[in-house]
Amino acid sequence: MGTAAAMLAEARKSLGMSGRPNTITKDYAKRHGNAFLNAAWCDMGVTYWARKSGNEKAVLPNGDRAYTVWHAQDFQKIGKWHTGTVENLNKAKPGDIVFFDWGNTNSVGAIDHVGVIEKVLGGGRVQTIEANTGNACKRRIRGATEIAGYGRPAYGAAASKPPASKPSKPKPAPKPSKAPAFPGVYLRYPPLKKSETCRKWQEQMKKRGWKIVVDGLYGADSKSVCKRFQREKGLSEDGVVGPSTWRLSWEAPIT
């Protein structure tokens, strides 16, 4: 049974690989055709590391992938997708498969690139190992702005268990920050309206790491962010900032 540690160990072996065709593209082409010998190979790299480390089922829930959008959608379909907000990235783990959009959105359909998280650095930043970055396999430091999201593979348990010890007292859950009282005005689109209430909510969402324009206008951009935030929090995805969405917008991140 594979592990995140094995996945990362395999990825590290590829550091310094450059050019194409290479070991990774040749391996993929053996199964899928010579058209892949000189194709973009970032997701071929993730596929290669997963197969070589015994993590195919965890990392490739729908089989080999060379196209990043389809790979991200695979994680969405099994409920293992996490949007690339600062809050979510602070909860990422080594071995998570991280996807990037150079257009700086969280849209799965706009994903351009993929890698594997090696370290979580805090503040929405992660250290990654990526194939086909500058046509080579390298370590990178990435932030929430360019990260569309990440998939959480169902890796197996670690090979060894720590010795039994007296359980420590659980840490108390962080207290949620107190949300300002709901202003009584529902933010919805259409129609396009500008208000200080909208600006206040947009500023709060930006603090949470969401890519949102702070202009006081509740339009299509704000509605899209609202719906994705509601999905993250398990609310009805109606794109309307009502009492529940307003309150959860100020809730402390889970750590």
Side-chain angles (χ1 to χ4, degrees):
M1 186 177 291
T3 64
M7 178 71 177
L8 287 167
E10 194 61 45
R12 292 180 187 118
K13 293 177 184 178
S14 297
L15 287 169
M17 183 184 296
S18 63
R20 64 184 100 166
N22 56 47
T23 301
I24 288 172
T25 66
K26 289 176 183 177
D27 181 79
Y28 199 92
K30 285 179 183 177
R31 296 186 302 279
H32 302 285
N34 288 340
F36 290 96
L37 284 171
N38 291 288
W41 51 290
C42 58
D43 217 355
M44 284 191 253
V46 173
T47 294
Y48 180 84
W49 303 329
R51 291 173 62 88
K52 292 294 183 180
S53 63
N55 283 300
E56 301 101 312
K57 291 183 179 179
V59 176
L60 307 168
N62 202 28
D64 289 3
R65 284 302 185 207
Y67 181 41
T68 53
V69 171
W70 290 351
H71 199 168
Q73 289 172 341
D74 291 342
F75 284 112
Q76 280 188 315
K77 290 173 184 175
I78 62 173
K80 297 291 186 180
W81 176 256
H82 304 270
T83 306
T85 63
V86 171
E87 180 179 353
N88 281 344
L89 286 165
N90 288 342
K91 295 182 283 185
K93 296 179 180 180
D96 285 345
I97 309 304
V98 60
F99 296 82
F100 308 95
D101 170 28
W102 306 141
N104 298 337
T105 77
N106 289 332
S107 171
V108 169
I111 287 171
D112 300 299
H113 185 58
V114 66
V116 59
I117 294 176
E118 186 175 29
K119 293 180 182 179
V120 177
L121 305 176
R125 297 164 64 249
V126 294
Q127 178 177 301
T128 64
I129 300 176
E130 301 166 22
N132 196 37
T133 177
N135 202 25
C137 183
K138 301 178 183 180
R139 284 188 171 95
R140 296 289 196 189
I141 303 296
R142 304 291 193 184
T145 301
E146 59 197 352
I147 295 174
Y150 61 89
R152 171 67 52 80
Y155 291 115
S160 59
K161 295 182 179 179
S165 60
K166 186 177 180 180
S168 58
K169 292 182 179 180
K171 294 181 180 179
K175 294 181 180 180
S177 56
K178 188 175 181 180
F182 180 64
V185 178
Y186 286 72
L187 301 177
R188 53 165 51 91
Y189 171 80
L192 181 64
K193 288 187 177 181
K194 188 171 186 177
S195 68
E196 283 305 309
T197 298
C198 176
R199 181 181 294 276
K200 188 172 186 177
W201 179 79
Q202 289 170 334
E203 289 174 346
Q204 176 62 14
M205 295 305 288
K206 189 168 186 178
K207 289 178 183 177
R208 294 183 74 96
W210 291 88
K211 303 173 183 73
I212 188 169
V213 176
V214 179
D215 57 5
L217 282 168
Y218 195 82
D221 174 67
S222 292
K223 182 177 181 178
S224 175
V225 170
C226 177
K227 290 180 74 173
R228 285 181 276 131
F229 177 68
Q230 289 171 329
R231 185 184 311 133
E232 180 182 298
K233 294 299 182 182
L235 300 174
S236 175
E237 298 173 39
D238 58 8
V240 176
V241 181
S244 296
T245 301
W246 180 272
R247 175 178 56 80
L248 290 174
S249 297
W250 272 267
E251 182 184 63
I254 299 171
T255 57

